[in-house]
């Protein structure tokens, strides 16, 4: 059984960092995770909240469910009331770009030479575009 967890930010943050190949450090990122049999399988991190928009980052090493997907969008759009989610994605990360599009993000802008190995693609979604909240 998969459940959504939000109450162990340090544990989720460490898992998130490791899953993305980074060293964990305390930051302003807020996390949610999917957990199965006591193990985190997927996590979403949110940062750069300014009241109107925020960045969304994902780490995936296993299964998640509809409840996790729903909450991943409910949290920023409904609980925080933002207008736009931004998923900054390196152009060389083709898998992540494909997954972002699958979830309904659109490619809104490209910043040349702003990511390791290439450009930075800004994938975005508004609450009105989010099919998971309908």
């Amino acid at each position: 059984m998969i459940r959504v967890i939000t109450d162990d930010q340090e544990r989720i943050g460490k898992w998130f960092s490791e899953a993305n190949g980074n060293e964990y450090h305390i930051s302003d990122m807020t996390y949610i995770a999917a957990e199965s049999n006591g193990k985190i399988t997927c996590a979403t991190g949110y940062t750069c909240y300014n009241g109107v928009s925020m960045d969304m980052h994902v780490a995936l090493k296993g299964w998640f469910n509809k409840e996790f997907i729903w909450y991943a969008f409910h949290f920023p759009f409904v609980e925080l009331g933002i207008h736009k989610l931004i998923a900054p994605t390196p152009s060389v990360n083709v898998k992540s770009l494909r997954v972002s599009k699958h979830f309904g993000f659109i490619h809104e802008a490209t910043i040349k030479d702003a990511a390791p190995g290439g450009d930075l693609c800004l994938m975005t979604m508004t609450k009105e575009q989010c099919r998971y909240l309908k």
Side-chain angles (χ1 to χ4, degrees):
M1 179 174 153
I2 297 172
R3 68 184 191 102
V4 176
I5 59 170
T6 61
D7 60 352
D8 197 345
Q9 291 293 296
E10 185 173 352
R11 177 177 163 235
I12 300 169
K14 287 179 178 178
W15 183 93
F16 185 91
S17 295
E18 181 184 305
N20 281 321
N22 300 316
E23 187 173 316
Y24 175 74
H25 58 87
I26 295 174
S27 69
D28 68 343
M29 195 171 279
T30 300
Y31 303 97
I32 67 168
E35 181 183 60
S36 178
N37 298 318
K39 294 184 178 183
I40 296 173
T41 58
C42 178
T44 301
Y46 304 91
T47 191
C48 299
Y49 172 75
N50 66 13
V52 177
S53 68
M54 68 190 317
D55 290 357
M56 178 183 197
H57 306 271
V58 177
L60 177 63
K61 281 191 167 183
W63 297 102
F64 54 91
N65 58 12
K66 288 181 182 180
E67 178 187 5
F68 178 80
I69 296 169
W70 174 83
Y71 192 67
F73 293 105
H74 175 85
F75 173 70
F77 287 128
V78 177
E79 291 185 26
L80 298 180
I82 66 155
H83 172 69
K84 188 172 278 194
L85 270 176
I86 303 167
T89 308
S91 60
V92 296
N93 191 339
V94 177
K95 181 179 177 183
S96 185
L97 289 170
R98 186 174 58 246
V99 169
S100 294
K101 289 178 183 176
H102 172 77
F103 281 105
F105 284 85
I106 61 165
H107 184 174
E108 186 167 324
T110 299
I111 303 172
K112 293 288 186 194
D113 303 318
D119 303 331
L120 183 64
C121 299
L122 299 181
M123 307 298 290
T124 66
M125 177 191 295
T126 63
K127 182 178 179 182
E128 294 74 33
Q129 293 168 325
C130 184
R131 66 181 180 256
Y132 301 101
L133 298 179
K134 298 176 181 178

